[in-house]
Amino acid sequence: MSTDYVLETRNLVKGFKGFIAVDDVNLSIQRGHIHALIGPNGAGKTTVFNLLTKFLTPTSGQILFNGTDITSMKAAAIARKGIVRSFQISAVFPHMTAIENVRVALQRFEGHSFHFWKSQKVLNSLNERAYELLKSVGLEEYANTQTVELSYGRKRALELATTLAMEPELMLLDEPTQGMGHEDVDRVVELIRQAAVGRTVLMVEHNLGVVSKLCDRITVLSRGAVLTEGDYKTVSANPQVREAYMGSEEAEVEGAH
């Protein structure tokens, strides 16, 4: 195992009652890279993410993080090791302010998870770091705004701030631009680029324009198996990739050039 790779999967398989959702997937995620997992609907992308974060248990195969076999570890232990997942569902509390949300994430990282009975003084000691994190995602002027009042794009930025509060070594982003307009997409792309400095990102993303702008390496899944891997230019020129994306996503492949 090379220290160049933060995460590796070896012959990863997940079956559900005779249906193979993930079929012998081998991934090597290079340290410091933004790596995308793409493929048409039903390709197995989310199932792979669920295996990596232990929402699901592999049928067979291995998952290695920094050379350590984490296949049998529980989700909480993996998060403590530095693998943090974001954007799958809204990870923020709607009726708390932006800064309170980040402060909760900082509490979790410090090991006294959700101790709301803690004195205001102790919680205020986290404010400086929370404000720094809000500033890093362009939300400093919304620090005291209730999350429910934020736009969709700003909620996503807040989710990124709460993820960064956990100081992840490997950040897993599940469709970070889903449902966004062009302006929000561009903003989130820039935020991901900034957040990736000094860490590794693995993302599932449908928008191939985003993938082409951000990602160092791309793995294409089709029917649960790896179809091809490489940089955007290599992958987008592959006839099998074009065929796999035929139909509703063909325009996205064409539009991403």
Side-chain angles (χ1 to χ4, degrees):
M1 155 84 191
S2 166
T3 52
D4 288 347
Y5 297 114
V6 172
L7 185 80
E8 285 191 306
T9 68
R10 294 182 182 166
N11 310 110
L12 203 59
V13 174
K14 181 63 184 177
F16 297 97
K17 295 182 179 174
F19 169 68
I20 302 299
V22 173
D23 188 3
D24 201 33
V25 168
N26 292 289
L27 292 175
S28 296
I29 312 302
Q30 196 166 327
R31 194 175 306 282
H33 270 193
I34 302 177
H35 192 123
L37 207 53
I38 70 167
N41 288 331
K45 306 179 297 291
T46 299
T47 307
V48 168
F49 254 41
N50 285 334
L51 291 169
L52 296 177
T53 47
K54 311 328 291 283
F55 287 95
L56 290 172
T57 304
T59 303
S60 62
Q62 275 184 305
I63 303 166
L64 299 162
F65 181 60
N66 285 327
T68 302
D69 190 332
I70 61 166
T71 316
S72 60
M73 276 189 186
K74 299 277 192 290
I78 281 173
R80 282 194 295 271
K81 268 192 164 292
I83 301 176
V84 178
R85 178 177 182 167
S86 182
F87 295 145
Q88 178 207 18
I89 53 171
S90 181
V92 291
F93 297 100
H95 297 294
M96 290 170 73
T97 64
I99 200 160
E100 285 168 344
N101 267 286
V102 179
R103 209 162 59 180
V104 167
L106 288 167
Q107 279 180 268
R108 289 175 68 187
F109 181 66
E110 290 199 341
H112 37 76
S113 181
F114 304 122
H115 284 187
F116 294 111
W117 48 263
K118 277 196 170 289
S119 74
Q120 198 63 32
K121 188 179 173 185
V122 172
L123 294 182
N124 284 342
S125 70
L126 298 173
N127 277 354
E128 196 175 327
R129 177 66 183 137
Y131 186 78
E132 278 173 21
L133 285 161
L134 287 176
K135 194 173 180 181
S136 76
V137 297
L139 288 179
E140 63 271 32
E141 63 188 274
Y142 299 96
N144 297 310
T145 303
Q146 273 210 337
T147 303
V148 73
E149 294 169 20
L150 295 175
S151 70
Y152 185 64
R154 290 197 176 102
K155 279 196 186 90
R156 284 292 171 101
L158 180 57
E159 288 168 6
L160 189 56
T162 61
T163 304
L164 293 173
M166 308 290 284
E167 298 191 9
E169 184 178 348
L170 174 63
M171 195 156 63
L172 302 182
L173 303 182
D174 199 348
E175 308 230 6
T177 67
Q178 188 176 33
M180 287 187 186
H182 282 298
E183 193 177 308
D184 279 339
V185 167
D186 291 343
R187 194 155 163 255
V188 168
V189 164
E190 195 47 49
L191 289 177
I192 293 168
R193 190 176 278 124
Q194 290 168 23
V197 174
R199 54 176 59 86
T200 308
V201 175
L202 176 61
M203 62 194 288
V204 165
E205 181 54 69
H206 267 101
N207 185 328
L208 296 183
V210 168
V211 170
S212 70
K213 286 176 195 162
L214 269 181
C215 297
D216 301 292
R217 196 159 183 82
I218 299 156
T219 301
V220 185
L221 291 183
S222 180
R223 296 176 184 157
V226 174
L227 184 62
T228 187
E229 194 173 276
D231 61 16
Y232 182 77
K233 189 178 177 184
T234 306
V235 162
S236 62
N238 185 306
Q240 285 179 291
V241 172
R242 288 171 170 274
E243 192 181 334
Y245 270 93
M246 288 295 273
S248 63
E249 296 186 60
E250 186 180 21
E252 279 188 273
V253 175
E254 294 301 326
H257 285 291

